């Protein structure tokens, strides 16, 4: 549930100029959690026969910390205003902005909340033509994130390294290295996302991910056969470097941004349900790849990374032609400044022909 709520919460409270970096702090904590989990597994592997029990039980500690910290959170101004607590919402908005001059933003939130409250069927509204650009982008970004090959690398890094000839402990150690690279690279994204923009990070990340996949596929093709999986020192180092390059480039591009972009592009009346669909798609593809990757790897061998390479090319082309830049644009102004200006998506945002269904069964409200 926190996967859905946290990006949404951060997008609602963050000023537009730092919204990207603040939102990616969520991804940073996820990567830190992955690193710690890998370290725990590395240590528990040395404890017999109950190390695996220790590994599982320690997972309760982050959950307890998460519950404790939520006690200190305040409701977002959007949520308070939507529930009719206008003065409380204004007070929280002044507090998080650090200024009393919040009336323009407050009025925009009030108007957006009024529209959101008049929506009769949230899911039906999400499918309306004017919300289709955001929905399509959110679904495809999550799908592309999974078919990029990241779960193949992160979930099965120890198995992957074993396949390439590493010893068991060495493969776990290599997974620790990739986890550390994941954390460091996410810091790069926090710094650059509100400076370079979302599109630039996704495109640059795609280039390095593509090169990494191609290199790994070549190593698989040359050195790994049915009769031999002995890499040798130089080839093993190359594989680790390429895996780390892939993780590094993913963690500052396709790792955090598919979570950030949907949370800042949906209009307020479709934001919660849109984020729910985003999470659902991510979990679905994560489950599918987690269950099928090992079988696919055994059958396709090195060509699985050729498949990932093709996917990276496709998703980079999608970003190049269809993903608008949302850097420094307030959520309340996203329709006017982003969607109505995009060469392709502007045809879906037509004030004269498209509207939102409101509580009155016969009346329609244009906005």
């Amino acid at each position: 549930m926190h996967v859905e709520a946290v990006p949404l919460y951060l997008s609602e409270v963050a000023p537009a100029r730092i919204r990207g970096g603040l939102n990616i702090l969520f991804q940073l904590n996820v990567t830190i959690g992955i690193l710690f989990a890998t370290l725990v597994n590395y240590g528990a592997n040395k404890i017999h026969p109950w190390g695996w029990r220790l590994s599982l039980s320690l997972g309760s500690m982050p959950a307890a910390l998460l519950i404790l910290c939520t006690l200190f959170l305040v409701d977002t101004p959007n949520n308070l205003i939507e529930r009719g607590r206008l003065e409380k919402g204004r007070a929280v908005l002044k507090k998080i902005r650090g200024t009393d001059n919040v009336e323009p933003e407050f009025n925009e939130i009030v108007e957006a909340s009024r529209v959101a409250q008049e929506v009769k069927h949230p899911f039906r509204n999400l499918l309306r033509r004017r919300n289709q650009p955001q929905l399509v982008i959110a679904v495809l970004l999550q799908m592309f994130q999974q078919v990029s090959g990241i779960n193949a690398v992160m979930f099965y890094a120890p198995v992957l390294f074993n396949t390439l000839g590493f010893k068991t402990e060495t493969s776990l150690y290599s997974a620790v290295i990739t986890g550390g690279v994941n954390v460091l690279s996410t810091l790069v994204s926090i710094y650059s996302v509100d400076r370079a923009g979302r599109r630039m990070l996704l495109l640059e990340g795609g280039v390095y991910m593509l090169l990494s996949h191609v290199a790994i596929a070549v190593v698989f093709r040359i050195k790994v056969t049915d009769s031999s999986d002995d890499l040798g020192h130089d080839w093993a180092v190359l594989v680790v470097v390429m895996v780390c390059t892939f993780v590094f480039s993913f963690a500052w591009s396709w790792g955090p941004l598919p979570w950030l972009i949907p949370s800042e592009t949906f209009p307020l009346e479709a934001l919660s349900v849109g984020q729910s669909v985003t999470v659902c798609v991510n979990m679905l593809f994560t489950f599918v790849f987690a269950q099928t990757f090992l079988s696919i790897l055994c059958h396709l061998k090195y060509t699985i990374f050729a498949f990932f390479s093709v996917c990276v090319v496709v998703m980079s082309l999608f970003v190049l032609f269809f993903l608008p830049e949302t850097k420094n644009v307030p959520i309340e102004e996203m329709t006017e400044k982003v969607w109505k200006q995009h060469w392709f998506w502007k045809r879906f945002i037509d004030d004269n022909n498209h509207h939102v269904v409101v509580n009155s069964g016969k009346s329609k409200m244009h906005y």
Side-chain angles (χ1 to χ4, degrees), residues 13-26:
V13 301
R17 67 182 184 278
I18 61 169
R19 185 177 61 235
L22 187 61
N23 203 301
I24 294 174
L25 285 173
F26 161 69

Side-chain angles (χ1 to χ4, degrees), residues 25 50 114 134 183 196 198 214 282 303 318 322 326 350 367:
L25 285 173
W50 50 272
R114 182 184 66 80
Q134 300 93 319
V183 173
R198 284 68 164 151
V214 171
N282 181 276
T303 57
F318 174 81
F322 296 105
T326 57
D350 187 346
Y367 70 100

